[in-house]
Amino acid sequence: MDQNLFNDICLRQLTFSGVHEGETVVVLTRGAERAEYADAFLWAAQQLGAATYHMRLPSPASASGAWAVGDSGLDQLPLAVEALKAADMVVDCTFLLFSEEQFAIQAAGTRILTAVEPPELLARLMPTKELRERVEIGAELLAKAKTMRITSPHGTDVTYQLGVYPTMSEYGYTDQPGRWDHWPAAFVFTGGSDDGVDGKIVLAPGDVLLPFNTYVQTPVELTIEKGFIQDIRGGAGSSGLDADLLRSYIESFHDPRGYGMSHVGWGLDERAHWHGLTQFPGGMGMELRSFYGNVMFSIGPNNELGGPNDTACHFDIPMRGNSLYLDDELIVDAGELTVKDMRPAAKR
């Protein structure tokens, strides 16, 4: 994307996020990554009258080849953490989520926006106030629920006991002290109680494995008991390839907590494409987490919700065509939202 166009969309983003004169905005990057993001956000912050600077962390000394969440690069840099805590807003171009350092920065009242997706995707999925309203309606419904049940024609039937952990909303910008969001995003989620997820999830071709950034090719059956996956196997008539890949990846962390059930919720952005992985390589699949009517469950850490599991092993798995019930009320019907106020205007 042309740098002037990128500047303009970052200015729109920071305007949504309430940046104004008298604030301090820090742009955080790592190594040589996303230098053009830093330039655009620094320019945009200046246009809004904010004091701003770029904090660039060194590249990781080594790479494991796995997406180990929670490694912020800040754990040995307490002075850098204090500087970020002193800012009004941090634009995170590194992915701090699940790290103790992010939690500390938020607790200080600093709002955080993660922006790591390709610029063209950021432009197409620019946040809107209308989308925020629909996400917040979904969050209100989810926050009141005591149980969530997910079913599918492929054999999924799993129940989450709710009420222990908070409900989170993501709509792509952050204008409240201490709040984190991710651009682009449009979904709501919470977590089941630590021993309160039971049943079976059957992944079907076309469901999405993140961070593999691939689509499921062969059915996978997951058996869950008391909040942990007890068995992963290929579905009937399957070669079992996707099941083997999923199991092998989790095993590579040598951490049994990698089998824990993490957050769960649904997507609301009708502009997001299920086929998005074929369009914008190089991101981390945020479009797939947000596409309208997807039901997404996650495996691994729940510390972002205040839970005890801080394993580095994490999967997000958006699924198509599933149904989701809150306290026996149908909320997502085979990929279609049933609540009028959660639908875009064209679907009401």
Side-chain angles (χ1 to χ4, degrees), residues 33-329:
E33 294 181 343
R34 303 186 178 93
E36 70 276 24
Y37 292 57
D39 290 342
F41 278 111
L42 291 170
W43 178 88
Q46 287 181 305
Q47 304 312 300
L48 295 171
T52 186
Y53 64 91
H54 179 193
M55 181 184 292
R56 178 185 170 195
L57 303 179
S59 298
S62 62
S64 68
W67 184 45
V69 298
D71 176 12
S72 69
L74 289 166
D75 54 320
Q76 301 299 316
L77 297 169
L79 292 178
V81 175
E82 290 304 312
L84 297 173
K85 288 164 65 176
D88 296 286
M89 180 173 177
V90 172
V91 179
D92 168 28
C93 299
T94 70
F95 199 76
L96 294 174
L97 189 62
F98 299 107
S99 70
E100 292 298 326
E101 293 76 28
Q102 170 159 329
F103 301 147
I105 294 164
Q106 289 181 255
T110 302
R111 60 194 191 273
I112 300 175
L113 177 78
T114 297
V116 296
E117 294 294 320
E120 294 79 8
L121 183 60
L122 298 178
R124 181 161 63 76
L125 298 182
M126 177 64 62
T128 70
K129 291 183 179 179
E130 184 267 345
L131 185 58
R132 173 179 177 169
E133 291 171 358
R134 292 195 282 121
V135 168
E136 289 181 333
I137 289 168
E140 289 176 6
L141 287 172
L142 183 54
K144 296 175 183 176
K146 297 301 181 185
T147 63
M148 176 191 293
R149 183 186 177 202
I150 303 169
T151 64
S152 81
H154 309 288
T156 294
D157 194 343
V158 62
T159 299
Y160 287 72
Q161 302 299 322
L162 307 180
V164 173
Y165 293 117
T167 292
M168 309 287 282
S169 61
E170 294 185 31
Y171 42 77
Y173 63 98
T174 176
D175 58 0
Q176 301 164 13
R179 188 177 189 279
W180 169 82
D181 213 312
H182 198 150
W183 178 28
F187 55 89
V188 296
F189 63 94
T190 188
S193 59
D194 294 337
D195 61 353
V197 185
D198 295 276
K200 179 180 288 188
I201 294 177
V202 181
L203 306 182
D207 293 339
V208 187
L209 295 172
L210 305 170
F212 286 0
N213 283 13
T214 59
Y215 297 95
V216 172
Q217 303 292 317
T218 59
V220 180
E221 293 186 3
L222 308 174
T223 301
I224 302 112
E225 296 176 3
K226 296 183 177 181
F228 280 81
I229 297 170
Q230 302 297 324
D231 187 57
I232 302 174
R233 65 179 62 193
S238 164
S239 67
L241 175 59
D242 285 292
D244 290 345
L245 287 170
L246 182 60
R247 187 188 313 106
S248 179
Y249 185 84
I250 296 173
E251 289 175 351
S252 72
F253 286 83
H254 306 290
D255 185 350
R257 299 175 304 162
Y259 292 94
M261 299 298 287
S262 182
H263 56 78
V264 62
W266 66 91
L268 291 104
D269 194 343
E270 72 284 1
R271 305 168 303 168
H273 297 154
W274 161 72
H275 64 269
L277 291 179
T278 68
Q279 292 183 294
F280 297 114
M284 57 175 296
M286 286 307 297
E287 181 169 22
L288 279 299
R289 293 169 170 89
S290 300
F291 76 85
Y292 182 83
N294 91 78
V295 173
M296 185 179 77
F297 79 99
S298 301
I299 302 169
N302 65 359
N303 56 340
E304 68 170 317
L305 295 167
N309 190 342
D310 63 353
T311 180
C313 179
H314 184 53
F315 264 98
D316 284 340
I317 305 179
M319 302 180 292
R320 297 188 301 163
N322 282 229
S323 296
L324 182 150
Y325 301 79
L326 297 179
D327 296 335
D328 298 324
E329 178 184 355

